[in-house]
Amino acid sequence: VAERPAEFDLIERIRRRAGMRDDVVLGIGDDAALLQVPAGRQLVVAMDTLNSGVHFPVGTAAADIGWKALAVNLSDLAAMGAEPAWCALSLSLPDAGTGWVDGFLDGFSGLAGMHRVALVGGDTTRGPLSVCVTVHGFVEAGRALRRDGARVGDDVWVSGSLGDAAAALSIVTGGSAPRASGKAPVAPGDAASAVAQLRRRLDRPVPRIALGRALAGLANAAIDVSDGLLADLAHIARASGVAACIEVDALPASTALRALFDDGPRRRFQAAGGDDYELCFTAAPGRREAVEAAACATATPATRIGRITEGEGVVVLDRAGAVWRPPRSGWQHFD
Amino acid sequence: VAERPAEFDLIERIRRRAGMRDDVVLGIGDDAALLQVPAGRQLVVAMDTLNSGVHFPVGTAAADIGWKALAVNLSDLAAMGAEPAWCALSLSLPDAGTGWVDGFLDGFSGLAGMHRVALVGGDTTRGPLSVCVTVHGFVEAGRALRRDGARVGDDVWVSGSLGDAAAALSIVTGGSAPRASGKAPVAPGDAASAVAQLRRRLDRPVPRIALGRALAGLANAAIDVSDGLLADLAHIARASGVAACIEVDALPASTALRALFDDGPRRRFQAAGGDDYELCFTAAPGRREAVEAAACATATPATRIGRITEGEGVVVLDRAGAVWRPPRSGWQHFD
């Protein structure tokens, strides 16, 4: 960790909220951290960066950025069935404002504390606002949830509900007017509350750590839904050498999303939206009760949305059994 | 790792040059990497970011940026006495230019290959040019080189030579004209060659991995010189609850630096410059022969520059025994 005087103050603020664990031999303050991986466990490492205006809207609250930067990384551990342990944080800031950093740490350390994740290192640098996080966790050897384990005949499942974050982003960026057409009108207060619920899904995604742990050794394959269900399920299909067939009407939607959007845009957000951080996973049909028990035990809804088949790619069917395509596929991101 | 189509091409380019190791159970291409830490070893983790215009001059060659981004991280492992194993890379790019990325990988993977470091994960995102690297290594339990182990009476040592990178940066940014005064003139061809040598120290720092490994269990404390010798030695003194006294004339200088700069600016670059990525370490006087043997065995020069004493802070003495201060202390960086 490179330190200069102004950085030193920031590092002190960060260190005070780093959290403690017995397996951290040496944390923030040396050239590197010293850590003890438990015997018999594999180390699981993920790294994701959030850039201003790309991964969160400009003007997002510092606490929300802090939460989300850790959440998207923990979501990767959840998708592996791993137990989180440590993280490192690299924070590029346009200036050394301590108020922003304290707000950031409210979100970051708040989520870290919920999962007993200790912050063990990293750096603070001058530059355009950017947050890079590396998370470390453990998994029992041979029990990790990989993308390449899906088998023909597996059920396809998804946790929670889909589309809220994409709908919120669409509202923020002006691309979608909720309730553009059709359906019964929503009372103004209800609409504002529903929009706030969507926005919270965008700003404060909940990593499905407990469900991922419960699925380790039970599911055959898993991924977290960050790019949109269709894109992420396609990763599982490609890695596993299989195809997936899902029913668009089976995709779970929140009450807020149903209240605010007609079926067409709603289905697009659910199928192709992204930023959901739900788990999409496959499991043998003989494990349905076990999956439902895991979902119940971790208080995480899980919905069967389709099947793994022979072939390649992902097919989406509507209620009538016809092939469904998103009415407008999102523009191709670089990020 | 979040992937979208354009990113997928980049990730494929990166994956092809990621390197292989038996202890990588699952590398690039899933939500996270699965890694096996050897029994009996502690995990050592460091993370450092390079931002354009802050940590390297705008216009620096892509290959040099790739090299340096990994080198500064490996230098942190060297300062812990650790053996490097894996890294993760988060690359923020203004656009998806593959030529730049291939150049970057020439430098990054070239250095990684020299130290058998496998690239196991990370992400590519859109944003201002920024390179964040997390490195992972191993060290035998209880043998890591920490900042807090210096003891009164220890010798203070430094590897290689100091000041070249700071002198090069000063030339690049126009802050210093080499040979501003005094001394015998340098022939123009020799001067150009000497400037190129300094610039190479700035762009291609050499992490002192072999020396760090040889010093594990031998030195009492160590740090890598990234912020400048005085600042970094002060970190050792503070962490160890001791003071350090060094002789400015004992600081090692390259032939190029001596040829290009008079004593005043040269000493400032050596004592306060930064970006050297040499190891500064302390060891008991009884271990002098062992330190010299370690330096010899790893083909890394090591120079005794002073002693650890009681008190606090770092005192620098000139040849006459008077206190020496840098003629102009560099401006306070935020980064």
Side-chain angles (χ1 to χ4, degrees):
Chain A
V1 179
E3 294 173 23
R4 293 193 181 90
E7 187 188 14
F8 193 74
D9 292 344
L10 280 185
I11 290 178
E12 265 309 306
R13 297 183 102 81
I14 293 170
R15 193 199 316 232
R16 282 199 293 270
R17 302 180 66 175
M20 306 271 277
R21 289 175 60 101
D22 289 345
D23 51 17
V24 178
V25 181
L26 185 63
I28 294 172
D30 213 299
D31 292 287
L34 288 177
L35 306 164
Q36 189 66 56
V37 175
R41 300 288 196 98
Q42 290 174 339
L43 180 69
V44 187
V45 178
M47 180 188 209
D48 262 318
T49 294
L50 300 190
N51 291 328
S52 179
V54 179
H55 302 95
F56 52 85
V58 172
T60 299
D64 291 335
I65 296 169
W67 174 287
K68 188 164 182 173
L70 183 58
V72 303
N73 278 279
L74 290 178
S75 181
D76 282 325
L77 293 189
M80 302 301 288
E83 174 193 342
W86 315 303
C87 65
L89 166 67
S90 178
L91 202 50
S92 291
L93 297 173
D95 59 58
T98 52
W100 191 93
V101 171
D102 288 342
F104 176 90
L105 290 171
D106 287 344
F108 190 94
S109 303
L111 180 59
M114 287 179 201
H115 294 284
R116 293 191 56 244
V117 174
L119 177 61
V120 299
D123 65 348
T124 63
T125 61
R126 188 160 47 92
L129 180 57
S130 178
V131 187
C132 182
V133 174
T134 305
V135 287
H136 299 80
F138 318 130
V139 70
E140 302 79 5
R143 288 172 67 93
L145 299 171
R146 305 165 53 136
R147 295 181 181 180
D148 61 4
R151 294 172 209 162
V152 173
D154 276 2
D155 294 319
V156 178
W157 299 76
V158 71
S159 66
S161 67
L162 297 169
D164 285 1
L169 185 63
S170 184
I171 294 170
V172 171
T173 60
S176 286
R179 307 284 326 161
S181 68
K183 279 201 174 178
V186 181
D190 293 348
S193 162
V195 168
Q197 286 174 52
L198 300 188
R199 180 64 197 250
R200 190 161 179 88
R201 289 291 305 274
L202 177 66
D203 290 338
R204 297 258 173 167
V206 174
R208 297 299 195 182
I209 292 290
L211 180 63
R213 290 294 295 151
L215 293 174
L218 172 59
N220 287 334
I223 193 169
D224 72 324
V225 181
S226 54
D227 293 344
L229 178 71
L230 295 185
D232 289 312
L233 184 53
H235 289 316
I236 285 184
R238 189 185 313 114
S240 302
V242 297
C245 179
I246 63 173
E247 293 167 50
V248 71
D249 288 314
L251 303 185
S254 70
T255 306
L257 190 67
R258 286 187 190 278
L260 287 173
F261 288 93
D262 295 322
D263 290 356
R266 172 176 60 76
R267 286 176 176 146
R268 172 164 55 81
F269 290 135
Q270 291 175 277
D275 249 4
D276 297 299
Y277 302 101
E278 297 292 354
L279 296 186
C280 175
F281 57 98
T282 84
R287 314 302 293 271
R288 278 180 198 170
E289 282 186 23
V291 169
E292 279 160 4
C296 186
T298 60
T300 313
T303 306
R304 263 192 300 130
I305 59 171
R307 299 290 288 270
I308 295 295
T309 63
E310 292 184 355
E312 60 183 32
V314 178
V315 174
V316 189
L317 300 180
D318 65 16
R319 203 168 301 169
V323 171
W324 178 91
R325 293 185 197 285
R328 188 191 72 186
S329 64
W331 93 99
Q332 180 176 324
H333 305 245
F334 165 60
D335 57 296
Chain B
V1 179
E3 293 173 25
R4 292 195 181 89
E7 187 188 14
F8 193 73
D9 291 344
L10 280 184
I11 290 178
E12 265 309 305
R13 295 182 105 80
I14 293 169
R15 193 200 317 235
R16 282 199 293 270
R17 302 181 65 175
M20 306 271 278
R21 290 175 59 101
D22 288 344
D23 51 17
V24 178
V25 181
L26 185 63
I28 294 172
D30 212 300
D31 292 288
L34 288 177
L35 306 164
Q36 189 64 56
V37 175
R41 301 288 197 96
Q42 289 174 339
L43 180 69
V44 187
V45 178
M47 180 188 209
D48 263 318
T49 294
L50 301 189
N51 291 328
S52 180
V54 179
H55 301 96
F56 52 85
V58 172
T60 299
D64 291 336
I65 296 169
W67 174 287
K68 188 164 183 173
L70 183 58
V72 303
N73 277 279
L74 290 178
S75 180
D76 281 325
L77 293 190
M80 302 301 289
E83 173 193 344
W86 315 302
C87 65
L89 166 67
S90 177
L91 202 50
S92 292
L93 296 173
D95 58 59
T98 52
W100 191 93
V101 171
D102 288 343
F104 176 90
L105 290 171
D106 287 343
F108 190 93
S109 303
L111 180 60
M114 288 179 199
H115 295 284
R116 293 191 56 244
V117 173
L119 177 60
V120 299
D123 65 347
T124 63
T125 61
R126 187 159 48 92
L129 179 57
S130 178
V131 187
C132 182
V133 175
T134 304
V135 287
H136 299 80
F138 318 130
V139 70
E140 302 78 6
R143 287 171 67 94
L145 300 171
R146 304 165 54 135
R147 295 181 180 180
D148 60 4
R151 294 171 207 163
V152 172
D154 276 2
D155 295 319
V156 178
W157 299 76
V158 71
S159 67
S161 67
L162 297 170
D164 286 1
L169 184 62
S170 184
I171 293 170
V172 170
T173 59
S176 287
R179 308 283 327 160
S181 66
K183 278 202 175 176
V186 181
D190 292 348
S193 163
V195 168
Q197 286 174 53
L198 298 188
R199 179 67 196 247
R200 191 161 177 87
R201 290 291 306 273
L202 177 66
D203 290 337
R204 296 259 174 166
V206 174
R208 298 299 196 181
I209 292 290
L211 179 64
R213 290 294 295 152
L215 292 175
L218 171 59
N220 287 334
I223 193 169
D224 74 322
V225 181
S226 55
D227 294 344
L229 178 71
L230 295 186
D232 289 312
L233 184 52
H235 288 315
I236 286 184
R238 189 185 313 115
S240 301
V242 297
C245 180
I246 63 173
E247 296 167 47
V248 71
D249 287 313
L251 303 185
S254 70
T255 307
L257 190 68
R258 286 187 190 279
L260 288 172
F261 288 92
D262 295 323
D263 290 356
R266 172 175 62 75
R267 286 176 177 148
R268 174 164 55 82
F269 291 135
Q270 291 176 277
D275 249 4
D276 297 298
Y277 301 102
E278 297 292 355
L279 297 185
C280 175
F281 56 98
T282 83
R287 315 302 293 269
R288 278 181 199 169
E289 283 186 21
V291 169
E292 279 160 4
C296 186
T298 59
T300 313
T303 306
R304 263 193 300 129
I305 59 171
R307 299 291 287 270
I308 295 296
T309 63
E310 291 182 357
E312 61 182 33
V314 178
V315 174
V316 189
L317 301 179
D318 66 15
R319 203 169 299 169
V323 171
W324 177 92
R325 293 186 198 284
R328 187 192 72 185
S329 63
W331 94 98
Q332 179 177 323
H333 304 246
F334 165 61
D335 57 296

